[in-house]
Amino acid sequence: MNRFVTILAAVLLAGFTSGAQVRFSPLFSDNMVLQQNSEVPVWGTAKAGSTVKVLTSWDGRTYESLAGADGKWSVKINTPPAGGPFEITFSTGKGKKRQTVLHNVMSGEVWLCSGQSNMEMPVKGWGRVNDYEKELEDASNYPNLRVLNIVRTFGYDPKDDFKVVGGDGWEVSSYESVEQFSACGYFFGREIQKSTNIPIGLINASYGGTRIEGWTTMEALGTMPSQKELIAKRFEIETEGRNVDSLKAKWRVDILNADRGMDGSSAVWAQPRMDDSSWKTMHVPGNIETVGLGAWDGVIWFRYLVDIPESWEGKDVSFNLQSVDDDDWTYWNGKLIGQTVGFNIFRRYTVPAKLVKGGKTVIAVRVLDNHLNCGLLGEKDRLTLSCGDESINISGEWKYCIGSSQEDVDVLPQDEITRIDYPANLYNTMIHPLVPFTLRGAIWYQGESNATNADQYAETLPIMIADWRRLWGNDFPFYIVQLCNFKSLQKYPDIVSEWAELREAQALAADCVKDAHMCVTLDIGDATDVHPKNKQEVGRRLALLALKYTYDQDVTADSPRMESYSLEGNSVRIRFKNAKGLRTLDGSDIVKGFAIAGSDRKFHFADARIEGTSVVVSCPEVTFPLAVRYAWADNPDCNLCGETMLPVGSFRTDRWGR
């Protein structure tokens, strides 16, 4: 299983076009959303020296750009108020063959969704949020919500293009487009769309298990003395990493060349008349471990014979292949209809109408596996062919045969280091290709992987935000999800908590950065799962922040926050802002989560009572209190909230370190 996805640009053309004259990033496609009332950059490639004309249907205006020696061109187009659908026509001359038309384009609000696994976590897929089937069935009710799901990848050099999960570009909200999309992002966008009735475009650029340094440019990190050691390590491993990548690329070429299912560029084993009577069978979806091939690497072919209804002939067919471990080339009666590099990428291919004939049809999937597991994976009820409202389930017994094995070539080199989130490696491939496409704002859920370096995180997050804004030339709003509760429930008041410290760092960043705000999720985590399922509420709380601060709606969006404190004899009074209707989440008279300490710096659980917008804290064991902490644990036992049940986050009055 190749965890580090690479995209073969020469094979998988980033972007698409209805003609061959103008090519785009997947940012520019059918169903896209443009930021309303803005001057939006649009760019692509064309023949060097050619003039690219861009016609916008909403105002009939034509823009022109001259493609440079490298073929690159760009224009800035003026977008209308929210609405649509519109069309954008690109042309390099007369005639339809020199034209590309983007259809169903909306003008609205564009939001970037980024971070690590809790942002990446899909509605279905490996995530499976609460009531995911119900949520997915409902997704088609929001046709003005559009999603762009970027394939996870990393690299040492800034890239101009990227690949999209399950398609070529933007997709309209539907069961199929949303099931692999960021749950936090989707529920955030859905709330905004419902509240504003404005088209919403969501771009998901997230990658699980990653540190903030990977999302930040080398230039920005280079200003931080605390990051110099990591930057030096990055340069140290880069040479080794590039060498490993080169050896992997050679192995890939060798193993594919050894494939007996190919004759040069001809896919012999994909042909419908090929005799596969000697091939073995296995159940699909399934892992090849089920047929005794657990430690195997190489090329394996799968074939399936399906009877296509006569009524489908001459119509596009959607093939919901789901996931393949690792890379695939998929054929329909011997014709290549799609290919994807990377194991954790959802596949949905369109069979062009001209290839669809009624009767017996052979589907062949050529799979390259380069590490651990292998197979055609997913859910049996979702492995389907569909045409209009009709579908055919093609799960069951498929034929398979090995085309080449690791014994046929040199040994595949393996990484001994993790390179994903070294400085700028994620920025280069998942953020840089989006700059300077106009955004309304960004939402950010990340920090778990930085919990051991909270002080450094408190510096890095504001710098990353400022750097992104500088690159875009746009001081867009930035909304942060504070880490939720996780791990064993707090039993003792005097503990070290990396997650509480990281929450504090997130709060400090939100306080010091203009137009940055934070939602607290301390009540909706899961002690046993770092990926809690209630992403609907996370999205709602992020949306409340945007509705208040970006869209000027009169909503309560902020959790109560400590504003000041004072010593009152043997008690401490904590004053809160955003504290109307201060109460407990469970309705109890007992306020839980506070601890106080005296000069010995030993904390004790404290009694607490609510007085208006204050909480008065005391403890018999502490005669002269000096410091108060609230919810200071990875998974604190706490219950303080505001009138609208938004919880209070972790905080402390001391700076005593660990």
Side-chain angles (χ1 to χ4, degrees):
M1 179 170 10
N2 180 8
R3 184 161 180 81
F4 305 121
V5 176
T6 57
I7 303 304
L8 300 183
V11 178
L12 302 176
L13 196 60
F16 74 98
T17 174
S18 57
Q21 303 302 315
V22 182
R23 296 193 179 101
F24 313 97
S25 157
L27 275 171
F28 309 105
S29 74
D30 291 344
N31 308 314
M32 74 179 297
V33 178
L34 296 166
Q35 181 58 42
Q36 65 168 327
N37 297 319
S38 300
E39 192 176 50
V40 176
V42 177
W43 64 89
T45 60
K47 183 179 179 181
S50 62
T51 298
V52 178
K53 294 184 178 181
V54 183
L55 172 63
T56 51
S57 70
W58 53 84
D59 57 6
R61 183 174 175 180
T62 298
Y63 304 79
E64 292 188 5
S65 178
L66 185 67
D70 57 0
K72 294 181 179 180
W73 59 267
S74 65
V75 297
K76 290 184 177 181
I77 60 176
N78 294 318
T79 58
F86 302 110
E87 290 184 350
I88 306 176
T89 302
F90 302 84
S91 61
T92 56
K94 296 181 179 179
K96 290 187 176 181
K97 289 185 177 181
R98 293 181 174 272
Q99 286 188 350
T100 300
V101 182
L102 304 185
H103 303 279
N104 198 24
V105 175
M106 307 300 289
S107 185
E109 301 284 275
V110 182
W111 287 86
L112 173 62
C113 316
S114 190
Q116 61 179 104
S117 56
N118 269 307
M119 182 61 80
E120 179 193 341
M121 182 177 171
V123 175
K124 192 176 181 182
W126 63 264
R128 299 185 177 232
V129 303
N130 293 343
D131 300 320
Y132 65 88
E133 284 290 350
K134 179 181 177 182
E135 298 289 10
L136 291 171
E137 293 295 341
D138 180 59
S140 61
N141 292 321
Y142 304 96
N144 287 337
L145 178 61
R146 313 293 174 84
V147 297
L148 183 69
N149 205 2
I150 297 176
V151 166
R152 303 182 316 159
T153 186
F154 74 95
Y156 299 113
D157 304 308
K159 304 298 182 184
D160 292 330
D161 287 317
F162 57 89
K163 193 65 181 173
V164 175
V165 175
D168 295 312
W170 291 84
E171 296 183 283
V172 176
S173 177
S174 68
Y175 188 112
E176 291 77 16
S177 65
V178 167
E179 64 177 324
Q180 296 297 320
F181 194 78
S182 162
C184 279
Y186 170 70
F187 293 126
F188 164 80
R190 186 179 70 178
E191 290 296 317
I192 299 298
Q193 210 277 315
K194 289 165 62 175
S195 296
T196 64
N197 199 31
I198 293 173
I200 301 295
L202 303 170
I203 302 173
N204 178 33
S206 54
Y207 200 135
T210 56
R211 294 172 57 87
I212 192 173
E213 289 82 2
W215 298 100
T216 311
T217 66
M218 293 289 284
E219 182 180 0
L221 290 174
T223 67
M224 300 177 60
S226 63
Q227 295 286 2
K228 291 190 182 301
E229 183 177 343
L230 186 63
I231 291 172
K233 180 66 174 176
R234 194 264 199 187
F235 285 122
E236 178 183 324
I237 70 160
E238 182 174 340
T239 299
E240 179 183 347
R242 289 184 188 274
N243 183 51
V244 170
D245 290 343
S246 177
L247 292 173
K248 283 185 175 183
K250 181 181 183 302
W251 182 91
R252 179 187 177 89
V253 170
D254 291 346
I255 200 75
L256 292 176
N257 285 340
D259 180 11
R260 291 176 286 278
M262 300 291 292
D263 182 6
S265 61
S266 177
V268 178
W269 287 4
Q271 301 308 310
R273 290 188 175 88
M274 198 277 298
D275 182 9
D276 59 10
S277 58
S278 63
W279 287 29
K280 298 178 181 180
T281 63
M282 67 171 283
H283 190 84
V284 172
N287 194 305
I288 62 172
E289 288 183 347
T290 62
V291 291
L293 293 174
W296 174 89
D297 289 326
V299 175
I300 186 169
W301 288 75
F302 298 88
R303 284 171 62 96
Y304 187 84
L305 183 65
V306 61
D307 195 6
I308 299 299
E310 296 293 335
S311 60
W312 288 20
E313 186 164 330
K315 300 177 182 177
D316 286 348
V317 170
S318 179
F319 180 13
N320 201 38
L321 181 58
Q322 302 185 90
S323 297
V324 176
D325 195 339
D326 291 306
D327 310 336
D328 77 285
W329 294 256
T330 298
Y331 300 85
W332 181 276
N333 274 340
K335 301 294 185 182
L336 183 67
I337 60 168
Q339 57 196 88
T340 302
V341 177
F343 83 96
N344 196 21
I345 302 173
F346 191 80
R347 275 86 161 166
R348 185 170 60 251
Y349 298 134
T350 297
V351 185
K354 64 182 180 181
L355 298 182
V356 180
K357 308 294 181 185
K360 302 296 183 183
T361 294
V362 172
I363 296 172
V365 183
R366 181 194 189 202
V367 176
L368 170 64
D369 178 65
N370 55 30
H371 191 46
L372 297 177
N373 301 317
C374 174
L376 307 183
L377 310 176
E379 302 176 49
K380 64 180 183 179
D381 63 330
R382 301 294 295 164
L383 183 60
T384 59
L385 302 172
S386 58
C387 182
D389 295 329
E390 299 178 328
S391 65
I392 300 172
N393 188 288
I394 56 174
S395 65
E397 295 302 306
W398 285 50
K399 294 188 174 184
Y400 76 91
C401 187
I402 292 175
S404 58
S405 297
Q406 62 265 46
E407 292 83 3
D408 300 325
V409 297
D410 292 336
V411 176
L412 171 65
Q414 298 296 330
D415 280 313
E416 296 182 357
I417 51 177
T418 298
R419 297 177 283 147
I420 304 171
D421 52 4
Y422 268 85
N425 282 3
L426 294 162
Y427 168 82
N428 287 339
T429 56
M430 300 186 70
I431 300 299
H432 184 268
L434 306 176
V435 180
F437 188 67
T438 307
L439 303 176
R440 189 64 176 95
I443 58 174
W444 176 255
Y445 196 158
Q446 191 277 333
E448 298 91 337
S449 291
N450 287 88
T452 57
N453 303 97
D455 288 344
Q456 191 178 66
Y457 193 88
E459 299 175 0
T460 309
L461 181 54
I463 286 175
M464 188 200 76
I465 296 170
D467 193 39
W468 283 16
R469 289 173 169 175
R470 175 186 64 84
L471 292 161
W472 258 279
N474 175 8
D475 288 340
F476 50 73
F478 197 95
Y479 299 122
I480 303 161
V481 181
Q482 191 182 53
L483 293 191
C484 63
N485 50 311
F486 176 54
K487 305 179 186 178
S488 299
L489 188 67
Q490 178 186 16
K491 295 182 179 179
Y492 307 102
D494 202 8
I495 61 173
V496 172
S497 173
E498 293 178 343
W499 279 46
E501 291 176 6
L502 199 286
R503 292 186 199 110
E504 180 183 59
Q506 292 172 315
L508 291 170
D511 286 343
C512 74
V513 177
K514 181 182 178 181
D515 290 330
H517 300 275
M518 181 189 73
C519 71
V520 178
T521 61
L522 201 52
D523 59 326
I524 52 176
D526 187 324
T528 62
D529 191 348
V530 73
H531 304 118
K533 306 297 186 183
N534 188 4
K535 290 297 188 285
Q536 291 92 332
E537 181 62 13
V538 181
R540 187 187 77 88
R541 291 180 189 181
L542 283 168
L544 287 173
L545 292 173
L547 290 172
K548 178 177 181 177
Y549 292 107
T550 302
Y551 299 105
D552 297 321
Q553 292 193 11
D554 185 16
V555 297
T556 300
D558 298 283
S559 288
R561 292 280 304 277
M562 185 192 78
E563 187 171 37
S564 65
Y565 72 99
S566 59
L567 305 180
E568 298 181 355
N570 63 351
S571 300
V572 181
R573 180 178 296 276
I574 308 293
R575 299 175 183 84
F576 292 86
K577 59 182 178 180
N578 312 317
K580 181 181 179 182
L582 205 60
R583 62 188 65 194
T584 58
L585 285 164
D586 53 10
S588 170
D589 292 332
I590 300 174
V591 181
K592 297 185 292 185
F594 283 94
I596 63 174
S599 59
D600 61 357
R601 299 189 177 187
K602 183 177 180 180
F603 282 88
H604 302 264
F605 283 129
D607 298 321
R609 68 178 185 274
I610 298 171
E611 293 186 357
T613 58
S614 298
V615 174
V616 179
V617 184
S618 63
C619 176
E621 289 86 355
V622 182
T623 305
F624 301 105
L626 294 179
V628 177
R629 292 182 176 182
Y630 174 78
W632 202 258
D634 294 350
N635 187 3
D637 186 10
C638 57
N639 64 352
L640 188 63
C641 67
E643 182 180 41
T644 59
M645 310 304 284
L646 294 176
V648 176
S650 302
F651 70 85
R652 59 180 172 173
T653 64
D654 65 277
R655 288 296 176 269
W656 290 344
R658 297 192 170 193

